Amino acid sequence: MDTMLTIVVPCYNEEEVLPISSKELLIFLLKMIEAEKISNESQIMFVDDGSKDNTWEIIEQLSNEDKHYTGIKFSRNFGHQNALVAGLTSAEPYSDAIVTIDADLQDDINSIEQMIDAYHDGNDVVYGVRGNRDSDTAFKRKTAEGFYSVMKKLGINMVPNHADFRLLSKRATQTLLEFKEENLFLRGMVPLVGYPSAKVFYARKERAAGESKYPLKKMLSFAFEGITSFSIAPIKFIRNLGIFILIIGIIYMAYIFGRNISGNTISGWSSIVGSIWLLGGIQMISLSIVGEYIGKIYTEVKRRPRFIIEKNIRDK
């Protein structure tokens, strides 16, 4: 089989897990080559997203040991989504298909074989989808379900329980790279490509070593990024909330006016102060949401590069 496959692996401070995952990825790659499902020129590309440990040194050592390893190094940390785009951009010119997978290998490597089969069956996009979330805590399961539910209600087309473990054909990669926005949310962008797609279900494993790069705070930030990158529903919600509060205010004023006419009034500051705090809080939240959209516009119009590559092993 002449299919040139590149497996793109974003890395940030992965010195603990990289020696383990790189070996497993190479074993799988060689197995696929031996089975003649992919070309012998297929590679594993590590993208060092500005790591502060010895991640890049490990990548260089791996590339010296085996030709199937390659890598690129960012000049600083640009973020996971930009690392994926950099890998796609670098691999696209010479790859027929590209698989993206995280370095911790919680996603099942063996599922890539099913992805390749689906690609050979004519699918340009193959999503790796978790069969269940039994390994997650109850809190994480509920928040994940809530996130996908909110995204669906906002009209954002996403594949539930799919992260960034997927296969893209050459033309799907080329089309995706035509999306030039700076605020990246690939889980929402890939379905917009619209080519034939398939799903491969797998069981997510525990992280082999190291710590998760997505704590709760970062996950919430990522979720908010996805919502504001694909929908103006929050702004519409603010508008509707403002109308609702205005109506309540008019009713309340009519009520107070009626009490004043009857002479049955109660003096005090509690209702006034409560109203001030309520409206003040709503205004602050509203301004912050509107500001988020303005900030995204500011980021887009600057047209700064998504990433800067300091070193590329293929250039040697």
Side-chain angles (χ1 to χ4, degrees), residues 155-206:
I156 303 171
N157 183 24
M158 287 181 59
V159 178
N161 296 322
H162 163 69
D164 289 303
F165 180 37
R166 66 179 72 89
L167 178 147
L168 297 173
S169 69
K170 189 179 189 69
R171 73 166 180 168
T173 303
Q174 291 172 338
T175 302
L176 180 63
L177 293 177
E178 291 178 4
F179 291 64
K180 300 300 183 182
E181 58 255 48
E182 299 293 322
N183 303 290
L184 295 173
F185 187 67
L186 294 176
R187 300 181 197 186
M189 293 169 63
V190 172
L192 296 178
V193 170
Y195 294 133
S197 64
K199 298 176 184 177
V200 169
F201 293 91
Y202 68 97
R204 190 171 173 84
K205 298 180 290 185
E206 294 293 329

Side-chain angles (χ1 to χ4, degrees), residues 64-242:
N64 291 330
E65 293 174 355
D66 195 290
K67 69 172 185 177
H68 294 102
Y69 292 120
T70 187
I72 56 179
K73 182 180 187 298
F74 283 175
S75 60
R76 62 174 177 83
N77 179 252
F78 284 89
H80 180 266
Q81 299 292 282
N82 285 313
L84 290 172
V85 171
L88 294 173
T89 303
S90 299
E92 181 275 323
Y94 57 85
S95 302
D96 298 308
I98 302 173
V99 169
T100 57
I101 187 171
D102 288 342
D104 58 20
L105 294 192
Q106 288 185 276
D107 300 318
D108 185 11
I109 294 177
N110 295 315
S111 298
I112 299 177
E113 182 174 4
Q114 295 174 261
M115 291 182 173
I116 295 170
D117 291 340
Y119 163 74
H120 288 152
D121 288 339
N123 292 287
D124 289 278
V125 182
V126 186
Y127 300 100
V129 180
R130 296 178 63 172
N132 59 67
R133 304 189 72 97
D134 293 343
S135 60
D136 290 346
T137 62
F139 174 76
K140 192 170 183 179
R141 281 198 300 272
K142 292 297 183 183
T143 53
E145 290 170 2
F147 171 68
Y148 288 116
S149 176
V150 168
M151 297 296 271
K152 184 177 181 179
K153 289 178 180 177
L154 294 177
I156 303 171
N157 183 24
M158 287 181 59
V159 178
N161 296 322
H162 163 69
D164 289 303
F165 180 37
R166 66 179 72 89
L167 178 147
L168 297 173
S169 69
K170 189 179 189 69
R171 73 166 180 168
T173 303
Q174 291 172 338
T175 302
L176 180 63
L177 293 177
E178 291 178 4
F179 291 64
K180 300 300 183 182
E181 58 255 48
E182 299 293 322
N183 303 290
L184 295 173
F185 187 67
L186 294 176
R187 300 181 197 186
M189 293 169 63
V190 172
L192 296 178
V193 170
Y195 294 133
S197 64
K199 298 176 184 177
V200 169
F201 293 91
Y202 68 97
R204 190 171 173 84
K205 298 180 290 185
E206 294 293 329
R207 186 180 174 92
E211 298 179 354
S212 171
K213 303 304 184 293
Y214 270 88
L216 178 60
K217 182 179 178 181
K218 194 169 183 180
M219 288 176 64
L220 291 174
S221 175
F222 186 64
F224 189 67
E225 178 77 21
I227 292 171
T228 54
S229 293
F230 276 82
S231 175
I232 61 170
I235 291 182
K236 292 181 178 179
F237 173 76
I238 292 171
R239 177 199 63 193
N240 296 335
L241 181 62

